[in-house]
Amino acid sequence: MTDLLTITELSVELQSKQILSDICLNLPTGDILGLVGPSGCGKTTLLNTLAGFIEQDKGQIHIDGNSTISPEYIIPPEHRNIGMIFQDYALFPHLTVEQNICFGIDKLTATEQQERLTQLLALLELKSFEKRFPHQLSGGQQQRVAIARALAPQPKLLLLDEPFSNIDARLRNELMLEMRNLLKKLNITAIFVTHNKDEVFTFADKMAVMHQGQLLQIASPDKVCQQPNSWQVADFLQLGSWLPISLKSNNRYQSALGDVDFPDSAQHNQMQLLLKPQFIKLCSSAESNVRVDNISVTEQGYHYLLSSLNDSKALAFDNLSFYANELFVIGEQLALEIKEHDFIAFTS
Amino acid sequence: MIPVLVMLLAGLSASTDLFSHLWQTVLPDYIANTLLLGVFVVLLSLVFGVISAALIVHTNIKGKAVLRWLLMLPLAMPAYLVAYLYTDLFDYAGPVQRSLRAWFNWQSPNDYIFFDIRTLGGASIIIALVLFPYIYMLARTAFEQQDQNLLRASRTLGLNAKQSFYKIALPLARPAIAVGASLVLMETLADFATVQYFAVNTLTTAIYDTWLGYGDLATANALASVLMLFILFTLVAEQRARAGQAHQSNRINKTHQIIQLSSSAQFFAGSFCWLLVIAGFILPFLLLINMAWQYSSSEQFWTLVPTGINSIKVAVWAASLTTILALIFVLFKRLDKSRWRTLPVQISGFGYAIPGTVLAMAMMSTFAPIDYFINDVAKFLGLTQPGLLLSGSIFAIIFAYLVRFAAIANGAIDSGIKQIPKSLDFAPASLGAGLTKTLTKVHLPLLKSSIWVAWLLVFVEAMKELPAVLLLRPFNFETLSTQIYQLISDEMLEQGALGAILIVLLGLLPIIWLNRNNSDGKKQTTKELA
């Protein structure tokens, strides 16, 4: 598979503030990339730069078949062959569904236009709505019109800006699957921005995590979750709680929940161990080491937030997540131990 | 509203002789002139207003920040003043033609062609120069408020910035532009002094002439009714345009993509805007100052004082009463739960559309019989007759202002109250406060600046208003505007230059004030109808 999109060392500065720094990214044809990160990390700016609404200060964007875009050679948005679906859909309120969809293909002959319109109306189940105006449609229908409109000129790359954030939670999943199937069927390469990691799992083939204008990690969603490459990635995706550990002897660290063996070539003195709830268990024999601070009910049983009883400042923690089927009371002291697994730790 | 109905009735019963006589002689001309004037002014204002608004919002012309509000200044200039000043400047005996003749050694008008300003075309240009800011203001706000994602979407679909403007931004601004155009049309139909000065006979001048010239109230009423019909058409068009404004997205991206013009295009675009500002405001204002400088004397200043006091007295009364009424209507609309709560605001809003001349005829036909009745009753009771208590006093003028400017005050206060969240209506009650406390402690303090704006707008409009005062004023009662009008008619504006400057300066106040509020993008138009 060839790469449809290649971005090298892309940097953008807005009002003398560095918004994107040295972004490098390849995307194979047909792949869907989910772009996540905390608000203000630059993900929307990246999308707007790709679309051509913001000019880059450094680096290249290459879309297969087009000339490479660089600060010296800027291609205006209308010649990039990139489709975009906006968060609020940006349907033209003064045009009908039909006119909205055909807006970008008015250079084709009438018969070609009609052909493509019929095809898209069928594909997106919009038949019998073509004469309506956007405000006469429901949210889901509006989104489908936005998709049809963006697909009509057959763009090489489709950009989606938080496409599901306006949709009711119950419909969202259904729509995501529907749209994913559609994009796969048409073999369209797409990048979508979201702040909801669950959407990435359902919708994307690849996940890219951004933080303060930098691309921290790009890989398949499960790889990112199994092997986050930095504290920021794990923290943003809330992959688990943080347990402070400190070096005791060679490769052996101590924590408030007992010692762990962790081969760390750098031998940092202080680290944060990523502790997922499934790797903690109750242990009846040992001395209590945590206290219950907060209890909530979830589908996976009771969810507890725990803090350490250990006096040592360096090892103290709070807000450790733990699930159990038994009900404890607030203030109760428990004894926990860590199950053996592939430990992941970072210096934060 | 009632006086207008009375007038329409009186108009219907007009002496058919005179009316049919008019119809066979001058009336068709008057109507044609009125319509032509309306069409020309609206077309010119559209060209001036829409182009300047688009340039300010969508392109990179220089000095945008200043031009943005300078383009509103022509609103402060009464058209009749500009008409007089430009006639002075461009007439055969004016400095422009004199210098041209001197330079090129022309001897008589036969040697060259120069446009004659005292024509229908000249009147249209001058009225358009001072009225286009209505369209500019509404179009600019519409362009600024548009969701820029729509333009971006159009770019991703293959249209360049200019094409996107024509296919998306302009059609979307059409309702706002239509509202602006109908405001311009209403003002044009109401204009009296400019056309009168240029001797272009329209319905307004006809009304004035039949009443003051022939003393025929009934025919004047009939003419006023015809004019009112035209206004009603405009009003319907305007309301329909407003209805179309409803569907606009509320989650909005306002980062504008600017169309980059080449430096020569920038120069032309910039010159276009500056020319409008200069022709519509700076040049006439300088001419006025020059006039005041050359001809003013202290004794002239003192003759201004009594008329100035008259003007201010009437304007203060009108502004205060209108504002208080508007406040009551708007609060009623907001807090009352009945189905009819919007009615007072709506009905009082229509008054704005009624031209001053028509309104004056309506007042006259309503109050005069009441006055006669009062006098008859007084006579019957053996009391001294009070004279023309209503129709011949400043009461009539203030009442006319009240009707005419209610919409302005309503609009200002209404847009202010819309900024107050609905929850604030209910919060005081949940804290145990009654209606009085809610109003005095919550709504009035929050509305303070809107109330002030409403008062100021009405005050300024009342200072400027001419035709209604001209017809309704008691004998020997002069205001600044009537005095200036008299002086203009007698070609002696020099004597009143100071007063004219005062009117213009007062007119600048609300524009500056509104611009201050507008700078954060808040929409507030000087003449927002209810």
Side-chain angles (χ1 to χ4, degrees):
Chain A
M1 244 187 326
T2 52
D3 283 342
L4 180 103
L5 173 71
T6 315
I7 301 176
T8 36
E9 294 180 341
L10 182 72
S11 297
V12 168
E13 210 175 271
L14 290 177
Q15 280 131 25
S16 65
K17 223 181 119 195
Q18 192 77 23
I19 309 290
L20 295 179
S21 37
D22 291 323
I23 305 278
C24 293
L25 181 137
N26 316 323
L27 198 60
T29 308
D31 264 17
I32 301 175
L33 173 74
L35 204 55
V36 294
S39 46
C41 71
K43 48 193 194 308
T44 303
T45 307
L46 178 56
L47 223 55
N48 283 333
T49 313
L50 286 176
F53 301 131
I54 296 175
E55 290 185 10
Q56 66 228 55
D57 294 299
K58 194 174 141 272
Q60 282 95 45
I61 300 170
H62 181 79
I63 299 164
D64 191 34
N66 289 4
S67 345
T68 303
I69 302 165
S70 65
E72 295 77 39
Y73 187 76
I74 296 285
I75 299 178
E78 61 269 24
H79 294 137
R80 291 194 179 196
N81 209 353
I82 292 181
M84 186 151 179
I85 295 174
F86 294 83
Q87 188 175 359
D88 55 1
Y89 314 137
L91 296 177
F92 306 127
H94 60 305
L95 302 180
T96 61
V97 168
E98 190 176 42
Q99 289 167 323
N100 262 288
I101 295 175
C102 291
F103 190 90
I105 50 172
D106 57 356
K107 289 192 184 76
L108 300 183
T109 64
T111 41
E112 281 175 309
Q113 282 188 41
Q114 193 54 43
E115 204 173 297
R116 218 174 273 182
L117 175 71
T118 328
Q119 199 186 352
L120 283 165
L121 289 174
L123 193 65
L124 289 150
E125 295 171 27
L126 283 168
K127 274 181 191 161
S128 79
F129 293 113
E130 62 260 46
K131 299 283 178 222
R132 297 219 191 155
F133 284 95
H135 65 99
Q136 296 167 314
L137 303 176
S138 72
Q141 289 164 342
Q142 287 184 3
Q143 193 189 32
R144 295 212 294 273
V145 177
I147 298 169
R149 186 180 69 179
L151 292 182
Q154 300 181 332
K156 292 201 165 122
L157 176 66
L158 187 63
L159 306 176
L160 304 99
D161 188 6
E162 307 210 12
F164 306 112
S165 63
N166 284 339
I167 310 269
D168 172 330
R170 249 170 357 123
L171 262 174
R172 195 181 303 164
N173 229 28
E174 199 180 314
L175 248 152
M176 274 192 283
L177 290 173
E178 218 173 87
M179 190 138 149
R180 184 182 158 82
N181 291 337
L182 184 71
L183 293 182
K184 287 289 159 194
K185 195 154 79 184
L186 301 172
N187 196 28
I188 288 178
T189 318
I191 299 180
F192 86 106
V193 158
T194 179
H195 50 249
N196 183 345
K197 60 171 176 172
D198 296 330
E199 287 181 7
V200 181
F201 294 130
T202 324
F203 193 68
D205 304 307
K206 272 193 175 169
M207 178 175 202
V209 185
M210 286 185 67
H211 182 74
Q212 293 184 341
Q214 289 176 318
L215 195 60
L216 295 179
Q217 189 171 12
I218 169 163
S220 68
D222 54 331
K223 175 116 192 272
V224 175
C225 292
Q226 305 292 328
Q227 296 165 332
N229 69 356
S230 63
W231 186 87
Q232 283 85 3
V233 171
D235 193 59
F236 174 73
L237 297 174
Q238 291 186 296
L239 297 175
S241 316
W242 294 109
L243 180 71
I245 52 175
S246 68
L247 190 66
K248 199 172 176 185
S249 60
N250 218 4
N251 287 343
R252 174 150 269 242
Y253 285 79
Q254 64 170 344
S255 80
L257 301 181
D259 292 355
V260 287
D261 288 319
F262 181 67
D264 175 34
S265 50
Q267 299 284 318
H268 294 286
N269 273 329
Q270 284 291 330
M271 292 186 86
Q272 299 278 338
L273 183 75
L274 177 66
L275 198 51
K276 300 185 180 181
Q278 67 263 37
F279 295 128
I280 318 172
K281 65 176 182 201
L282 282 168
C283 103
S284 44
S285 57
E287 206 182 315
S288 301
N289 47 15
V290 293
R291 184 183 54 234
V292 175
D293 285 340
N294 203 335
I295 308 173
S296 54
V297 184
T298 72
E299 291 156 48
Q300 288 85 36
Y302 298 104
H303 177 222
Y304 297 96
L305 289 179
L306 311 171
S307 61
S308 57
L309 292 172
N310 197 305
D311 299 330
S312 153
K313 257 236 164 85
L315 297 180
F317 61 81
D318 50 15
N319 288 333
L320 184 81
S321 269
F322 172 61
Y323 290 86
N325 290 323
E326 297 137 84
L327 178 60
F328 306 111
V329 293
I330 287 177
E332 196 172 339
Q333 303 193 345
L334 308 173
L336 289 186
E337 62 178 2
I338 305 168
K339 292 185 203 168
E340 202 57 40
H341 64 287
D342 286 336
F343 294 120
I344 300 168
F346 301 105
T347 53
S348 61
Chain B
M1 209 74 250
I2 294 168
V4 176
L5 289 178
V6 173
M7 174 202 78
L8 286 174
L9 283 177
L12 286 178
S13 60
S15 59
T16 38
D17 298 351
L18 189 60
F19 195 75
S20 62
H21 170 71
L22 276 175
W23 181 248
Q24 279 156 15
T25 52
V26 288
L27 192 56
D29 277 349
Y30 288 2
I31 291 181
N33 276 341
T34 307
L35 289 180
L36 275 178
L37 186 75
V39 171
F40 286 160
V41 171
V42 168
L43 285 180
L44 280 170
S45 306
L46 281 173
V47 171
F48 296 163
V50 176
I51 293 179
S52 57
L55 289 174
I56 293 292
V57 178
H58 282 288
T59 70
N60 59 338
I61 60 168
K62 299 224 162 62
K64 267 201 315 199
V66 190
L67 276 173
R68 194 176 175 277
W69 63 273
L70 278 183
L71 280 165
M72 314 242 287
L73 295 189
L75 269 189
M77 274 282 163
Y80 54 89
L81 262 183
V82 183
Y84 180 83
L85 293 165
Y86 278 3
T87 311
D88 226 28
L89 196 62
F90 293 116
D91 237 4
Y92 182 73
V96 173
Q97 292 201 45
R98 269 211 313 268
S99 345
L100 281 176
R101 283 196 296 273
W103 282 340
F104 296 105
N105 222 356
W106 290 324
Q107 299 304 321
S108 75
N110 302 327
D111 294 347
Y112 62 101
I113 298 167
F114 197 83
F115 66 92
D116 182 9
I117 196 169
R118 298 184 80 143
T119 54
L120 185 72
S124 309
I125 293 174
I126 281 167
I127 298 177
L129 271 179
V130 297
L131 291 183
F132 85 88
Y134 283 126
I135 295 180
Y136 160 74
M137 201 158 58
L138 286 160
R140 194 195 69 195
T141 320
F143 288 144
E144 280 172 349
Q145 305 279 323
Q146 273 168 7
D147 186 354
Q148 292 308 300
N149 277 349
L150 293 173
L151 291 179
R152 288 185 164 188
S154 151
R155 300 289 301 273
T156 65
L157 293 168
L159 266 64
N160 67 29
K162 245 182 230 166
Q163 292 167 325
S164 305
F165 172 78
Y166 289 120
K167 278 193 92 169
I168 305 298
L170 201 56
L172 284 177
R174 213 161 40 196
I177 294 172
V179 172
S182 44
L183 286 178
V184 168
L185 186 57
M186 281 180 215
E187 289 276 328
T188 309
L189 293 181
D191 176 82
F192 162 72
T194 318
V195 283
Q196 164 88 357
Y197 180 67
F198 280 181
V200 174
N201 286 314
T202 63
L203 284 172
T204 41
T205 58
I207 294 167
Y208 185 82
D209 289 343
T210 13
W211 168 228
L212 291 187
Y214 306 108
D216 186 344
L217 187 60
T219 311
N221 268 332
L223 289 171
S225 307
V226 175
L227 182 54
M228 201 56 214
L229 278 181
F230 289 132
I231 290 289
L232 278 177
F233 279 123
T234 327
L235 205 62
V236 171
E238 198 255 358
Q239 296 284 330
R240 291 186 60 160
R242 266 171 206 276
Q245 258 183 326
H247 57 79
Q248 291 215 354
S249 162
N250 45 6
R251 204 171 317 172
I252 280 171
N253 170 2
K254 282 188 193 159
T255 35
H256 277 259
Q257 301 272 310
I258 300 296
I259 299 176
Q260 301 292 327
L261 296 179
S262 66
S263 50
S264 60
Q266 260 191 56
F267 174 77
F268 280 116
S271 315
F272 177 77
C273 295
W274 279 109
L275 211 62
L276 285 178
V277 176
I278 292 171
F281 184 79
I282 296 177
L283 181 60
F285 194 59
L286 288 179
L287 289 172
L288 258 187
I289 289 179
N290 178 42
M291 208 174 249
W293 189 258
Q294 287 188 337
Y295 299 97
S296 287
S297 58
S298 62
E299 102 202 55
Q300 212 186 95
F301 175 75
W302 289 113
T303 58
L304 265 178
V305 172
T307 45
I309 289 175
N310 275 343
S311 270
I312 291 173
K313 190 166 77 183
V314 177
V316 165
W317 268 105
S320 310
L321 287 174
T322 313
T323 309
I324 291 169
L325 264 180
L327 193 59
I328 293 171
F329 288 166
V330 170
L331 283 172
F332 177 72
K333 174 184 163 191
R334 169 78 172 230
L335 298 173
D336 191 74
K337 285 173 191 64
S338 74
R339 265 176 69 195
W340 311 111
R341 65 183 187 281
T342 56
L343 222 54
V345 175
Q346 274 172 346
I347 292 180
S348 62
F350 285 122
Y352 170 65
I354 309 170
T357 358
V358 176
L359 195 60
M361 296 320 300
M363 296 291 157
M364 213 103 75
S365 14
T366 316
F367 289 141
I370 300 178
D371 274 337
Y372 287 131
F373 177 74
I374 293 174
N375 280 303
D376 286 346
V377 171
K379 196 171 168 189
F380 180 74
L381 296 174
L383 300 168
T384 42
Q385 294 182 17
L388 299 176
L389 199 59
L390 301 176
S391 55
S393 68
I394 66 166
F395 170 83
I397 300 179
I398 293 171
F399 193 89
Y401 283 171
L402 202 65
V403 175
R404 191 153 154 69
F405 301 135
I408 300 176
N410 287 346
I413 296 179
D414 204 35
S415 71
I417 212 164
K418 278 181 187 148
Q419 311 276 332
I420 303 177
K422 277 267 181 198
S423 57
L424 284 189
D425 297 358
F426 306 115
S430 72
L431 297 167
L435 183 64
T436 329
K437 194 172 170 191
T438 308
L439 290 181
T440 53
K441 297 268 174 185
V442 180
H443 288 84
L444 289 182
L446 285 172
L447 283 174
K448 215 157 56 186
S449 84
S450 314
I451 293 173
W452 166 231
V453 169
W455 192 90
L456 195 64
L457 284 174
V458 177
F459 177 78
V460 171
E461 286 293 322
M463 292 288 286
K464 275 201 294 192
E465 164 66 49
L466 174 66
V469 196
L470 221 45
L471 289 171
L472 287 174
R473 68 196 161 131
F475 199 61
N476 271 342
F477 183 86
E478 291 275 4
T479 66
L480 278 180
S481 55
T482 58
Q483 193 184 36
I484 290 166
Y485 167 75
Q486 288 299 346
L487 291 171
I488 284 178
S489 309
D490 304 340
E491 307 273 341
M492 292 195 307
L493 180 63
E494 297 79 17
Q495 313 276 330
L498 276 178
I501 290 178
L502 184 67
I503 289 189
V504 175
L505 286 180
L506 280 171
L508 286 179
L509 282 181
I511 296 176
I512 293 166
W513 180 269
L514 286 175
N515 190 62
R516 213 192 56 152
N517 286 349
N518 258 342
S519 49
D520 54 305
K522 208 164 57 178
K523 184 186 167 187
Q524 197 156 40
T525 54
T526 31
K527 288 189 178 171
E528 214 168 5
L529 293 185

